[in-house]
Amino acid sequence: MKTVIVTGGIGSGKSTVCAFLRERGIPVYDSDGETKSLYDRSPQLTDTLERLFGCPLRTAGGRVDRRLLASMIFSDPLRRSQLEEVVYPVVREDFLSWREAHADAPFVVLESAVILSKPQFAGLADFVVLVDADPELRLSRAVVRDGSDPENVRGRMSAQAEVYPGVDAVIRNDGSLEELREQTDLVFGPLFCK
């Protein structure tokens, strides 16, 4: 089973590229969304994080308080590293199970902004596609999309790794949606034939 990683920073358009691929029947594992789902599906994961950080991380309803967790890790590189050491192996195993369930697809996509810089995911990619755009354009897209403060988005941008080793293809997303779709078809078209 061929695994394609689609990566890029916040506001780059990687989710749009992945939406185009879903339209063509390609399974896409959204690592951010699946990680959030794992917090809800795996109480043991949350228990481990609460013990690690020494404080409650759940809302009154029993779900992980994602805003609290995000505020704790984005401002503290040590805590972020500790969280990754606990969470990323669980995400990797979840992805591998998910990939097995989609063995009939021509390929599967793993969408992630940071995966290439994380050793827990080494060796997963058969092909890596970077979606990129001008940083100011990425900033404005993220502000509009998330309704966030520009400084908050800049902080998230700086927290993401901007080094993308092993990239096989780059899709530039500085133009229209139609141009992005055309570039996506050019890059991924050959993969449908393999």
Side-chain angles (χ1 to χ4, degrees), residues 40 46 76 90 114-115 117 119 128 130 138 168 173 186 190 192 194:
D40 295 332
T46 306
D76 187 333
V90 177
V114 298
I115 198 169
S117 64
V128 178
L130 170 65
R138 290 174 43 212
D168 297 296
N173 185 20
L186 281 172
F192 283 94
K194 293 185 179 180

mmCIF file of all heavy atoms in Angstrom, residues 40 46 76 90 114-115 117 119 128 130 138 168 173 186 190 192 194:
data_model
loop_
_atom_site.group_PDB
_atom_site.id
_atom_site.type_symbol
_atom_site.label_atom_id
_atom_site.label_comp_id
_atom_site.label_asym_id
_atom_site.label_seq_id
_atom_site.Cartn_x
_atom_site.Cartn_y
_atom_site.Cartn_z
ATOM 1 N N ASP A 40 -10.644 11.570 22.452
ATOM 2 C CA ASP A 40 -11.992 11.194 22.870
ATOM 3 C C ASP A 40 -12.188 9.682 22.883
ATOM 4 O O ASP A 40 -12.930 9.159 23.707
ATOM 5 C CB ASP A 40 -13.033 11.848 21.951
ATOM 6 C CG ASP A 40 -13.030 13.363 22.063
ATOM 7 O OD1 ASP A 40 -12.664 13.888 23.138
ATOM 8 O OD2 ASP A 40 -13.381 14.034 21.076
ATOM 9 N N THR A 46 -5.578 10.166 27.594
ATOM 10 C CA THR A 46 -5.777 11.364 28.421
ATOM 11 C C THR A 46 -5.284 11.135 29.838
ATOM 12 O O THR A 46 -4.654 12.015 30.439
ATOM 13 C CB THR A 46 -7.257 11.774 28.412
ATOM 14 O OG1 THR A 46 -7.689 11.911 27.054
ATOM 15 C CG2 THR A 46 -7.456 13.100 29.133
ATOM 16 N N ASP A 76 5.571 25.989 25.608
ATOM 17 C CA ASP A 76 6.575 25.234 26.347
ATOM 18 C C ASP A 76 7.116 24.083 25.492
ATOM 19 O O ASP A 76 6.486 23.029 25.399
ATOM 20 C CB ASP A 76 5.946 24.692 27.633
ATOM 21 C CG ASP A 76 6.952 24.041 28.564
ATOM 22 O OD1 ASP A 76 7.992 23.539 28.087
ATOM 23 O OD2 ASP A 76 6.698 24.022 29.789
ATOM 24 N N VAL A 90 0.746 6.544 19.364
ATOM 25 C CA VAL A 90 -0.657 6.142 19.290
ATOM 26 C C VAL A 90 -1.242 6.535 17.933
ATOM 27 O O VAL A 90 -1.980 5.764 17.299
ATOM 28 C CB VAL A 90 -1.466 6.762 20.450
ATOM 29 C CG1 VAL A 90 -2.948 6.421 20.349
ATOM 30 C CG2 VAL A 90 -0.906 6.323 21.790
ATOM 31 N N VAL A 114 3.364 18.619 10.334
ATOM 32 C CA VAL A 114 4.640 18.460 11.041
ATOM 33 C C VAL A 114 5.269 17.077 10.937
ATOM 34 O O VAL A 114 6.357 16.855 11.444
ATOM 35 C CB VAL A 114 4.468 18.807 12.542
ATOM 36 C CG1 VAL A 114 4.044 20.260 12.715
ATOM 37 C CG2 VAL A 114 3.484 17.868 13.219
ATOM 38 N N ILE A 115 4.629 16.166 10.290
ATOM 39 C CA ILE A 115 5.029 14.762 10.355
ATOM 40 C C ILE A 115 6.461 14.490 9.896
ATOM 41 O O ILE A 115 7.129 13.602 10.426
ATOM 42 C CB ILE A 115 4.031 13.898 9.567
ATOM 43 C CG1 ILE A 115 4.164 12.444 9.976
ATOM 44 C CG2 ILE A 115 4.213 14.069 8.081
ATOM 45 C CD1 ILE A 115 3.058 11.580 9.444
ATOM 46 N N SER A 117 9.120 15.998 10.366
ATOM 47 C CA SER A 117 10.162 16.299 11.352
ATOM 48 C C SER A 117 10.051 15.421 12.596
ATOM 49 O O SER A 117 10.801 15.608 13.550
ATOM 50 C CB SER A 117 10.095 17.773 11.752
ATOM 51 O OG SER A 117 8.866 18.047 12.401
ATOM 52 N N PRO A 119 10.365 11.767 14.380
ATOM 53 C CA PRO A 119 10.963 10.442 14.178
ATOM 54 C C PRO A 119 9.967 9.290 14.310
ATOM 55 O O PRO A 119 10.182 8.221 13.734
ATOM 56 C CB PRO A 119 12.043 10.364 15.256
ATOM 57 C CG PRO A 119 11.720 11.424 16.254
ATOM 58 C CD PRO A 119 10.947 12.477 15.522
ATOM 59 N N VAL A 128 6.209 12.219 -1.018
ATOM 60 C CA VAL A 128 5.911 13.375 -0.171
ATOM 61 C C VAL A 128 5.598 14.581 -1.051
ATOM 62 O O VAL A 128 6.392 14.940 -1.929
ATOM 63 C CB VAL A 128 7.090 13.711 0.773
ATOM 64 C CG1 VAL A 128 6.777 14.953 1.604
ATOM 65 C CG2 VAL A 128 7.406 12.528 1.678
ATOM 66 N N LEU A 130 4.639 18.616 -0.851
ATOM 67 C CA LEU A 130 4.582 19.845 -0.056
ATOM 68 C C LEU A 130 3.650 20.831 -0.745
ATOM 69 O O LEU A 130 3.828 21.133 -1.926
ATOM 70 C CB LEU A 130 5.980 20.456 0.078
ATOM 71 C CG LEU A 130 6.055 21.863 0.687
ATOM 72 C CD1 LEU A 130 5.606 21.850 2.142
ATOM 73 C CD2 LEU A 130 7.471 22.416 0.572
ATOM 74 N N ARG A 138 -0.593 32.828 3.475
ATOM 75 C CA ARG A 138 -0.948 31.779 4.436
ATOM 76 C C ARG A 138 -1.537 32.385 5.709
ATOM 77 O O ARG A 138 -2.540 31.907 6.238
ATOM 78 C CB ARG A 138 0.283 30.936 4.776
ATOM 79 C CG ARG A 138 0.745 30.053 3.633
ATOM 80 C CD ARG A 138 2.045 29.325 3.941
ATOM 81 N NE ARG A 138 2.052 28.786 5.281
ATOM 82 C CZ ARG A 138 3.150 28.661 6.031
ATOM 83 N NH1 ARG A 138 4.333 29.045 5.572
ATOM 84 N NH2 ARG A 138 3.081 28.149 7.237
ATOM 85 N N ASP A 168 9.133 15.124 -2.589
ATOM 86 C CA ASP A 168 9.200 14.645 -3.967
ATOM 87 C C ASP A 168 8.550 15.602 -4.952
ATOM 88 O O ASP A 168 8.914 15.618 -6.131
ATOM 89 C CB ASP A 168 8.511 13.275 -4.077
ATOM 90 C CG ASP A 168 9.216 12.221 -3.238
ATOM 91 O OD1 ASP A 168 10.381 11.919 -3.538
ATOM 92 O OD2 ASP A 168 8.597 11.725 -2.274
ATOM 93 N N ASN A 173 0.462 27.211 -4.054
ATOM 94 C CA ASN A 173 -0.931 27.622 -3.895
ATOM 95 C C ASN A 173 -1.016 29.125 -3.694
ATOM 96 O O ASN A 173 -1.506 29.606 -2.680
ATOM 97 C CB ASN A 173 -1.572 26.872 -2.713
ATOM 98 C CG ASN A 173 -3.057 27.171 -2.588
ATOM 99 O OD1 ASN A 173 -3.695 27.612 -3.531
ATOM 100 N ND2 ASN A 173 -3.598 26.945 -1.405
ATOM 101 N N LEU A 186 -1.829 17.338 -11.832
ATOM 102 C CA LEU A 186 -0.519 17.079 -12.440
ATOM 103 C C LEU A 186 0.368 16.237 -11.535
ATOM 104 O O LEU A 186 1.027 15.299 -11.981
ATOM 105 C CB LEU A 186 0.196 18.395 -12.760
ATOM 106 C CG LEU A 186 -0.239 19.121 -14.018
ATOM 107 C CD1 LEU A 186 0.426 20.495 -14.101
ATOM 108 C CD2 LEU A 186 0.108 18.299 -15.256
ATOM 109 N N PRO A 190 -0.136 10.655 -12.079
ATOM 110 C CA PRO A 190 0.638 9.411 -12.278
ATOM 111 C C PRO A 190 0.417 8.377 -11.183
ATOM 112 O O PRO A 190 0.526 7.176 -11.446
ATOM 113 C CB PRO A 190 2.098 9.892 -12.276
ATOM 114 C CG PRO A 190 2.031 11.335 -12.665
ATOM 115 C CD PRO A 190 0.733 11.836 -12.086
ATOM 116 N N PHE A 192 -2.349 7.572 -9.814
ATOM 117 C CA PHE A 192 -3.568 6.821 -10.068
ATOM 118 C C PHE A 192 -3.315 5.666 -11.028
ATOM 119 O O PHE A 192 -4.087 4.725 -11.095
ATOM 120 C CB PHE A 192 -4.657 7.737 -10.647
ATOM 121 C CG PHE A 192 -5.317 8.608 -9.619
ATOM 122 C CD1 PHE A 192 -4.861 9.895 -9.388
ATOM 123 C CD2 PHE A 192 -6.376 8.145 -8.873
ATOM 124 C CE1 PHE A 192 -5.472 10.701 -8.443
ATOM 125 C CE2 PHE A 192 -6.995 8.939 -7.923
ATOM 126 C CZ PHE A 192 -6.539 10.218 -7.697
ATOM 127 N N LYS A 194 -0.454 3.800 -11.094
ATOM 128 C CA LYS A 194 0.514 2.815 -10.589
ATOM 129 C C LYS A 194 -0.161 1.699 -9.824
ATOM 130 O O LYS A 194 -1.198 1.858 -9.262
ATOM 131 C CB LYS A 194 1.561 3.503 -9.725
ATOM 132 C CG LYS A 194 2.444 4.422 -10.537
ATOM 133 C CD LYS A 194 3.543 5.006 -9.682
ATOM 134 C CE LYS A 194 4.432 5.913 -10.529
ATOM 135 N NZ LYS A 194 5.497 6.516 -9.796
#
